[in-house]
Amino acid sequence: MRRADKTELNAVRLRWQRFWHYTRPIATWVFSIGLVAVIAIVAVRFVLSHYVSAVDPEDPTPYEVEIPQNASASKIADLLYHACGEGKEGLIVSTASFKVYVDFVGKANSLKAGTYRLSKNMSIAEIVDVLTEGNPPRRTKRFMVPEGKTVEEIAALLQQEELLTDPSAFVALCRDASMFSKYPFIAELSNVAERRYVLEGYLFPDTYEVYVDAAPEEILDKMLTRCYEVYSDEWIARAQELELSRDQVMTLASIIEREAGSPDDFSKVSAVFHNRLARGMKLESCATLSYVTGVHRYTFTPDEQAIVSSYNTYLNEGLPIGPISNPGASAIRAALYPNEEYLEEGYLYFCNGNPQESSALIFSKTYEEHQKNVEQYRQYWN
C-alpha cells in the first residue's frame, strides 16, 4: 500500500473515532430510554392484565355490594374481593391492586357509600368510576311472617306489604327444586314432583328486612337461609335418635303448628302423633285435609276424608308427602321432643274445646273418651 493511502485511511479512522466519542453517550442514552420504555410497556400491560383488568370479561353476572358510610379504601377493597362469597373469585383480583390504583389516580377519598350492582367483567377503573359517581342506598322494608303460614298465605302477605306485585311468580319459584338446590335440605328432598310446593315447610317464620325492590328469589333466599341457621346440630342429632329425616321432622312440625292453637299444646299434640305413628294408626289430621281442600274447618265429611291426595292423612298411613305449612321453632322442637307423660300414658286423640273460651285442646286416651269429648264440644265448632 502506498504511503499516501495509509495516511488517508488513518485520517478516516481518526474521524470515526472522534464521531463515536461524541455520539456514543447519545446512542447509549437513546438505547437506555428505549429499553426502559419497552420494560415499562411490558410491565404496565402485565399489571393491567393481571391486576387492573376485569376478573372475567365473559361474566356479566351482577353482584350486589353494599358500601357503608365512611368506609375506607381498604374496607371497600375487602368488600369487593369477597363480594361473590367466601372461597370464590371476587370482583377484583386482589385488595392491594385496588388500593394502589385508587391512590395512583387520586380517588381514594372520592368513593361513595351506596348499594351497587357490579360484575366480574368490569375492570377496576370501571368499578372505581361507578363508586365515585355514587348511588343512594336502596330503601329497605321489614316484614313479619307468622308461624304456620302456607306458601300461598306468605305470598299474599308479601303482596299486602307491597313487596310483591305478582304473587304468582313467588309461588312458582316455591315449586322449583332446582332453583334452590344449593340448600342441602332442599336438594335431599324426594318426590318433589308430587309435592304442591317444594319449599313448603322451609320458609322460616321470622321478621325480615329486604330491599323494597327485592326480587322474589332474594326474599326466598333469606327465608331458606334462616331455616338452615335455626335447625341446630342438636336437632339434627335428636332427629337421628328418633330415626326421622329432617323432612319428616318439618312435616310433623307443620301439622302440629296448624293443629295446636296454644303453644302449651304443641308437645302434647306431638305425643299423640308419635303414639299413632308407633301403633301404625292413621294420623287423621284435619289440618292436612284443610291443606288439601283449602277449607278451614274443625270437621270434614266422609266424602272429604276420602279425597285422594298424598297429603290426606285420613286416607293414607304415616306422615303426608311433605309439610303443610311453615312451622316455627316451637313446633319443630315439639316434633322432636313430644310430651313424655302423654307419650308414656298413650294418648291417641284430641279435639277442640270451645274456641270462644280457650284455644286449648281436649286430649283423650281411648276412642270412647274422644267421642264423648266430640259430642260435648261439637256445638261450638260452627
Side-chain angles (χ1 to χ4, degrees), residues 281-303:
M281 299 173 65
K282 295 174 182 176
L283 295 187
E284 298 185 344
S285 164
C286 290
T288 62
L289 261 185
S290 291
Y291 191 71
V292 171
T293 63
V295 177
H296 299 286
R297 292 204 306 266
Y298 293 109
T299 60
F300 289 89
T301 67
D303 286 343

Side-chain angles (χ1 to χ4, degrees), residues 9 15 30 373:
L9 181 61
R15 284 196 298 270
V30 170
N373 291 331

